[in-house]
Amino acid sequence: MAAVSGGRRSGPAAGVRFFCTAGRGLEPFLMREVRSRLAATQVEYISGKVFFTTCSDLNMLKKLKSAERLFLLIKKQLPFNVSSVSKGKILNEMQRLTNDDPESWLNAISIWKNLLELDAKKVKLSQKNANPLKRKVGENAIIAKKLKTEQMQEIQENKECQLEKQIEEETLEQGNFTTKRDKSQEELQNDVTEAVDTHNQNNLTFRVSCRCSGAIAKTFTAQEVGRVIGIALMKQFGWKADLRNPDLEIFIHLSDIYSVVGIPVFRVPLASRAYIKTAGLRSTIAWAMASLAEIKAGAVVLDPMCGLGTILLEAAKEWPDVYYVGADVSDSQLLGACDNLKAAGLKDKIELLKVSVIGRTNRICWWIKCEEKNKDD
Amino acid sequence: MKLLTHNLLSLPVQAMGARGFALCLQATEVRINPVESNPDFVAGMIPKVEWAVLLEDSDTLHLFKVPKKPIQGHEHKENFLRNVHHVLLEVDVLEDTLQCPESGFLFPISRGIPKMLLSDEVT
């Protein structure tokens, strides 16, 4: 359950409960990562998801490397029993997900808003302080675009949060929610004061994404469940559904082991990296492999079959004070790797060679004498 | 290809003793790229580097005069570290040929990537 009162704007709420999806086999890496990066507590792993509690803000959460997606936890409970019960009864039970304990939902949503608000403030601050000369043009364009879309949404939430200070959380009014997404950033920032005066913008638009697996998937389709929960939410909180561009996305996963409800924290999965132009290996796995090498500062690291350089990219981002060398036998892969390095701004950190790791062994063998040198010192 | 990479490549030949020979550099196209300075990293690399090769590279490419031996207590000599940093990390050999002193075999460097294949196998 999402813990602790929301509404405090001074800092992130203490001990917020999250969960991450992770690829099969990466869960131990993710558990280690949340403990070391986020000082997470109450870390649990259940079949493809890692649950944890942390006080970290969005900036730190964004840095998770072995997770697929990050969600704020609303509810985690025992799975629905589908064996001998009628379909209607099960649907009733599903509605109880939303109706039994509306406080936990509203709690989670206010925590979510606080997180985004804090992040929006930091983004504005960092934009003022950013040295434009340091950034490369390509990176700048990507970052600028992302910031703009995130900011547009965060400023939206910011505006709503201001309003909720005026109106008690329990009384959510019906009203027309005029979407102002087309307005420019400057206009939105000035709008905050204007919005405080108008009292009718308290509705969130939302969308339900549902996944069913195991026994329940045989009885229900994801759409059915999504629809039932969606309607229950509309009745309970008065939100409006928007399938294309909602403010709030609700994620539900019903399986044989649990029923989990959460809010995705970022629009883009953590696994898609801004600094990788063309991924070869999946970024999460590449990072996990690099972490197994126990790379220390001052080391020389070789990837003898680097392909597009994904492992080296992940490693260079995490352990920067290291000399990286990538080798591959294929020209096209090396070309792609070169491209990737340029796009990530890592041309200085990662060298490339064309080498074959198999082939005739004769008197001429080429080695990179990394460790041998170490032994002689 | 940075000169640090050139230095790390070597030919271990049993009869020749522990270190073997380095490749002969005949620079054709070279570019100087500024690289953010990291003195600790450079100081850490100096023990790993084959100094003779560094001297030779520095000579061939007409770079800074590198001292015949690494300075004792080099961790604290700013100028020295900056020079070594420049030679090892800021010089990028773009087009060249590396020659194995043993066999005379030639390995091309094109677009900064040395091709260390013995035959035109997989490309």
Side-chain angles (χ1 to χ4, degrees):
Chain A
M1 291 296 226
V4 192
S5 57
R8 263 189 303 153
R9 297 179 71 186
S10 48
V16 179
R17 197 137 178 84
F18 295 92
F19 68 95
C20 280
T21 46
R24 292 284 184 273
L26 285 179
E27 303 93 338
F29 291 94
L30 183 52
M31 290 198 286
R32 206 174 309 143
E33 215 194 338
V34 298
R35 287 193 178 107
S36 68
R37 237 192 257 278
L38 310 175
T41 54
Q42 300 174 288
V43 180
E44 286 187 273
Y45 142 49
I46 307 174
S47 170
K49 292 188 177 53
V50 173
F51 298 81
F52 59 95
T53 307
T54 179
C55 307
S56 300
D57 63 6
L58 285 194
N59 263 330
M60 287 308 290
L61 290 165
K62 250 178 223 163
K63 293 193 179 138
L64 286 175
K65 292 295 174 90
S66 47
E68 289 290 323
R69 299 189 69 188
L70 175 70
F71 302 87
L72 185 64
L73 182 69
I74 299 181
K75 265 187 199 302
K76 170 168 152 281
Q77 58 190 50
L78 291 173
F80 290 112
N81 181 6
V82 291
S83 49
S84 53
V85 195
S86 78
K87 207 167 160 175
K89 283 221 170 111
I90 304 173
L91 288 172
N92 273 337
E93 275 208 46
M94 286 184 190
Q95 287 173 332
R96 294 179 59 194
L97 263 180
T98 63
N99 299 338
D100 264 4
D101 183 16
E103 266 306 304
S104 66
W105 285 81
L106 295 171
N107 225 8
I109 287 164
S110 84
I111 292 176
W112 169 74
K113 282 185 177 173
N114 279 341
L115 281 173
L116 291 179
E117 204 183 86
L118 273 168
D119 196 50
K121 280 189 192 152
K122 286 188 181 168
V123 165
K124 280 182 217 161
L125 268 172
S126 71
Q127 273 201 322
K128 282 183 200 156
N129 296 336
N131 183 351
L133 293 173
K134 279 198 174 165
R135 286 191 184 166
K136 305 215 171 131
V137 175
E139 267 188 270
N140 208 6
I142 302 170
I143 294 170
K145 202 174 167 199
K146 273 199 171 184
L147 277 175
K148 194 157 193 218
T149 29
E150 277 191 48
Q151 260 200 310
M152 294 283 276
Q153 283 143 5
E154 270 115 58
I155 289 167
Q156 210 75 38
E157 317 329 341
N158 196 11
K159 199 170 46 156
E160 287 155 26
C161 243
Q162 297 269 20
L163 292 170
E164 289 206 3
K165 291 293 162 198
Q166 317 264 320
I167 305 165
E168 287 298 301
E169 272 188 50
E170 280 74 33
T171 59
L172 293 168
E173 294 178 353
Q174 283 284 345
N176 291 323
F177 182 81
T178 49
T179 46
K180 295 186 180 177
R181 283 187 191 88
D182 298 330
K183 280 200 174 183
S184 68
Q185 276 187 328
E186 299 83 43
E187 286 184 28
L188 275 172
Q189 282 172 8
N190 295 331
D191 257 344
V192 177
T193 27
E194 182 193 302
V196 171
D197 297 331
T198 54
H199 290 278
N200 63 349
Q201 295 185 24
N202 230 349
N203 272 341
L204 287 176
T205 59
F206 78 106
R207 169 175 70 194
V208 175
S209 301
C210 185
R211 230 200 297 168
C212 296
S213 57
I216 202 164
K218 300 196 179 115
T219 324
F220 296 97
T221 64
Q223 287 96 314
E224 276 181 292
V225 180
R227 210 182 315 128
V228 166
I229 309 268
I231 292 172
L233 286 173
M234 285 200 281
K235 286 204 182 125
Q236 178 74 14
F237 300 115
W239 300 333
K240 280 197 171 166
D242 181 345
L243 294 178
R244 273 192 313 122
N245 201 5
D247 302 320
L248 175 69
E249 185 156 356
I250 304 285
F251 170 85
I252 302 178
H253 187 184
L254 305 178
S255 72
D256 288 333
I257 309 176
Y258 45 53
S259 304
V260 177
V261 186
I263 304 175
V265 178
F266 302 111
R267 301 274 161 166
V268 178
L270 289 169
S272 83
R273 315 281 205 232
Y275 49 85
I276 296 185
K277 184 177 171 191
T278 314
L281 194 56
R282 190 153 189 79
S283 58
T284 49
I285 299 183
W287 183 88
M289 289 177 73
S291 75
L292 286 172
E294 295 182 8
I295 300 169
K296 310 254 181 335
V300 178
V301 173
L302 166 69
D303 183 346
M305 289 159 278
C306 66
L308 294 171
T310 319
I311 303 181
L312 293 171
L313 285 170
E314 289 291 328
K317 278 286 177 184
E318 187 77 50
W319 298 275
D321 295 325
V322 171
Y323 197 66
Y324 292 100
V325 183
D328 201 278
V329 77
S330 151
D331 274 328
S332 59
Q333 293 285 294
L334 284 173
L335 217 57
C338 207
D339 237 12
N340 274 345
L341 296 186
K342 273 202 199 103
L346 288 171
K347 282 230 85 181
D348 285 327
K349 287 243 173 280
I350 304 177
E351 285 269 276
L352 294 175
L353 305 171
K354 183 171 177 180
V355 166
S356 169
V357 294
I358 57 169
R360 310 171 316 191
T361 47
N362 46 29
R363 293 190 307 151
I364 303 175
C365 314
W366 301 101
W367 300 87
I368 301 230
K369 48 176 170 121
C370 318
E371 281 318 300
E372 283 174 59
K373 270 287 186 184
N374 276 336
K375 285 184 212 146
D376 291 320
D377 288 333
Chain B
M1 182 193 71
K2 292 185 200 285
L3 295 181
L4 179 52
T5 309
H6 176 231
N7 205 290
L8 294 171
L9 292 170
S10 75
L11 168 66
V13 176
Q14 256 85 336
M16 295 285 168
R19 302 268 160 120
F21 288 157
L23 301 164
C24 301
L25 202 58
Q26 303 148 17
T28 320
E29 188 184 327
V30 170
R31 185 172 57 193
I32 310 284
N33 292 321
V35 170
E36 201 178 318
S37 154
N38 188 342
D40 288 331
F41 177 76
V42 177
M45 278 291 139
I46 288 171
K48 298 186 182 171
V49 150
E50 185 71 70
W51 203 258
V53 177
L54 181 60
L55 274 177
E56 200 180 310
D57 284 351
S58 172
D59 236 10
T60 314
L61 297 176
H62 310 295
L63 300 171
F64 283 117
K65 269 282 170 238
V66 175
K68 289 229 154 46
K69 274 197 178 146
I71 295 178
Q72 287 297 342
H74 56 250
E75 300 85 20
H76 308 293
K77 300 286 194 280
E78 249 190 68
N79 253 343
F80 172 66
L81 287 178
R82 212 176 306 134
N83 284 345
V84 176
H85 166 87
H86 176 77
V87 174
L88 286 179
L89 299 174
E90 291 187 336
V91 181
D92 202 0
V93 180
L94 293 176
E95 302 288 329
D96 201 338
T97 318
L98 298 171
Q99 181 170 44
C100 166
E102 251 269 321
S103 66
F105 211 87
L106 294 170
F107 299 101
I109 305 178
S110 89
R111 298 161 97 163
I113 301 180
K115 320 249 173 195
M116 316 294 295
L117 296 179
L118 294 177
S119 63
D120 266 326
E121 296 152 348
V122 190
T123 41

